């Protein structure tokens, strides 16, 4: 086998409930992940040495050294397959990005998931999805979900993933912002807001219960997803990182307000931001929102996407994506 390509989706969080910081520096989460039809492609080919090249959206911002998540995924997979043994040959990893970097869409995690799936095939290792998920969990909080895709509840750091039942599909508009937001910085800002709020005591509702004491996804959101009710999904979107992201990037307030003005059923910062996600009634409404957001100049660019999208999959030879991917039209 000479080359294997895997395609992998971006995600938005329909619920992101963040608990206090843990001893390992991560936060306990209760989240509802939702994969959307904005895809990166990762191609792996045998080579003398390991290497990674990146083209497309935000390519210049992706590290090409050993910290690259796709390279780390390939190394972790070969170590899991043959512990302590050096691989006879390296792997050249080529990443074609459409998911912006550090945008709250888990693009780096997606690339790691795609590298796992592609190298598993290239090296004929034959690990099952649950076996790959175990390796994914050690690579980053969102890698497991990128493997599985669809819509799923995430617990722990986000790596304990259980698929959720969803009817129908949902039309989203993503608004990409200029520049990136650092996920650790957004979590740190959220911690500061939490400390300030809890310090104010009972008058503001008092200290919140740690998230791990509840471990419950939002039942109204899950019921809306099961029923295929976009209006109810829109009403029940939530993101604990949003106040922190808005504090760091006040301009996002205008972007969210603009989407609501154009009738979005829900408007939310995606993960740690700065991408904003807007839920539309249908495809036509999504186009209207996309055109309106573009016209108001509140964002760098927009994309119309569908969710839920499948997780990381091998692209059969000869079926590499055209520049416009299914359901993921940019406006
Ligand atoms: O796991 P990943 O490298 O994608 O996470 C990026 C950063 O986001 C972490 O280093 C951490 O600062 C923050 N994070 C967190 N709690 C989580 C997930 C991510 O604090 N559950």
């Amino acid at each position: 086998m000479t080359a294997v390509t895997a395609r992998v989706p971006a995600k938005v969080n329909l619920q992101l409930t963040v608990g206090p910081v843990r001893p390992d520096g991560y936060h306990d989460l209760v989240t509802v992940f939702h994969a959307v039809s904005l895809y990166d492609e990762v191609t792996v080919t045998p080579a003398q040495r390991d290497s990674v090249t990146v083209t497309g959206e935000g390519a210049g911002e992706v590290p090409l050294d050993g910290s690259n998540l796709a390279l780390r995924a390939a190394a972790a997979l070969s170590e899991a397959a043959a512990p302590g043994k050096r691989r006879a040959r390296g792997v050249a990893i080529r990443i074609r990005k459409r998911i912006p970097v550090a945008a709250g869409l888990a693009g780096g995690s997606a690339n790691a998931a795609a590298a796992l799936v592609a190298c598993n095939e290239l090296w004929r290792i034959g690990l099952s999805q649950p076996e790959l998920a175990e390796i994914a969990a050690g690579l980053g909080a969102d890698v497991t979900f990128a493997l599985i895709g669809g819509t799923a509840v995430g617990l722990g750091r986000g790596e304990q993933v259980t698929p959720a039942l969803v009817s129908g599909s949902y039309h989203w508009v993503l608004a990409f912002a200029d520049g990136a937001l650092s996920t650790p910085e957004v979590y740190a800002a959220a911690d500061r807001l939490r400390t300030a709020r809890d310090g104010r005591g009972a008058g503001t509702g008092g200290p919140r219960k740690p998230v791990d004491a509840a471990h419950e996804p939002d039942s109204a959101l899950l019921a809306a997803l099961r029923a295929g009710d976009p209006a109810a999904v829109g009403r029940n979107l939530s993101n604990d990182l949003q106040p922190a992201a808005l504090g760091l990037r006040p301009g996002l307030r205008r972007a969210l307000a603009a989407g609501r003005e154009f009738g979005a059923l829900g408007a939310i910062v995606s993960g740690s931001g700065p991408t904003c996600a807007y839920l539309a009634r249908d495809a036509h409404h999504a186009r209207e929102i996309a055109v309106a957001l573009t016209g108001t100049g509140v964002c760098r660019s927009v994309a119309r996407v569908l969710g839920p999208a499948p997780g990381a999959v091998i692209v059969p030879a000869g079926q590499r994506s055209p520049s416009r991917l299914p359901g993921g039209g940019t406006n």
Side-chain angles (χ1 to χ4, degrees), residues 1-308:
M1 198 173 301
T2 53
V4 176
T5 296
R7 188 187 80 164
V8 66
K11 64 85 193 158
V12 297
N13 301 80
L14 308 183
Q15 173 189 357
L16 182 48
T17 304
V18 180
V21 66
R22 318 189 311 189
D24 65 0
Y26 278 86
H27 295 71
D28 267 312
L29 306 179
V30 176
T31 189
V32 176
F33 290 114
H34 183 68
V36 293
S37 62
L38 178 73
Y39 301 103
D40 279 355
E41 283 185 349
V42 174
T43 299
V44 296
T45 42
Q48 291 291 85
R49 277 177 277 107
D50 285 356
S51 68
V52 62
T53 53
V54 186
T55 55
E57 175 83 31
E61 293 142 53
V62 179
L64 302 177
D65 59 10
S67 71
N68 183 284
L69 263 181
L71 272 179
R72 284 177 44 205
L77 176 66
S78 60
E79 175 61 23
K85 280 207 184 141
R86 262 196 91 218
R87 259 180 291 137
R89 296 198 70 184
V91 61
I93 301 178
R94 194 147 68 84
I95 304 174
R96 282 180 299 281
K97 290 207 67 66
R98 297 188 75 224
I99 308 173
V101 178
L105 297 166
S109 294
N111 298 157
L116 283 178
V117 167
C119 289
N120 188 42
E121 180 84 4
L122 181 73
W123 296 331
R124 300 182 191 280
I125 296 176
L127 292 191
S128 64
Q129 194 184 64
E131 288 167 329
L132 291 178
E134 263 181 52
I135 302 169
L139 293 167
D142 296 334
V143 184
T144 313
F145 174 70
L147 270 182
I148 290 164
T151 304
V153 174
L155 299 178
R157 292 181 300 143
E159 84 288 7
Q160 298 163 31
V161 176
T162 312
L165 211 58
V166 173
S167 302
S169 54
Y170 296 84
H171 295 265
W172 297 89
V173 178
L174 301 179
F176 304 128
D178 276 320
L181 268 177
S182 145
T183 302
E185 279 174 30
V186 176
Y187 272 98
D191 288 340
R192 288 194 295 276
L193 290 176
R194 173 198 301 276
T195 306
R197 184 194 59 213
D198 290 355
R200 287 200 300 269
T204 56
R208 261 172 55 155
K209 261 195 308 184
V211 72
D212 54 353
H215 257 189
E216 286 297 331
D218 181 343
S219 55
L221 173 66
L222 291 184
L225 288 164
R226 272 197 308 275
D229 181 347
V233 170
R235 277 197 304 278
N236 288 290
L237 299 173
S238 68
N239 180 0
D240 280 359
L241 293 181
Q242 184 163 303
L246 295 180
L248 294 168
R249 296 286 290 272
L252 297 180
R253 278 179 207 283
R254 255 185 71 219
L256 291 176
R260 291 193 194 101
E261 208 173 295
F262 298 115
L265 301 173
I268 199 164
V269 169
S270 176
S272 55
T275 305
C276 292
Y278 308 85
L279 183 57
R281 289 188 300 273
D282 52 30
H284 178 73
H285 187 209
R287 181 177 282 275
E288 279 179 4
I289 294 174
V291 169
L293 288 173
T294 306
T296 52
V298 291
C299 56
R300 172 170 61 82
S301 63
V302 297
R304 286 175 289 113
V305 295
L306 274 178

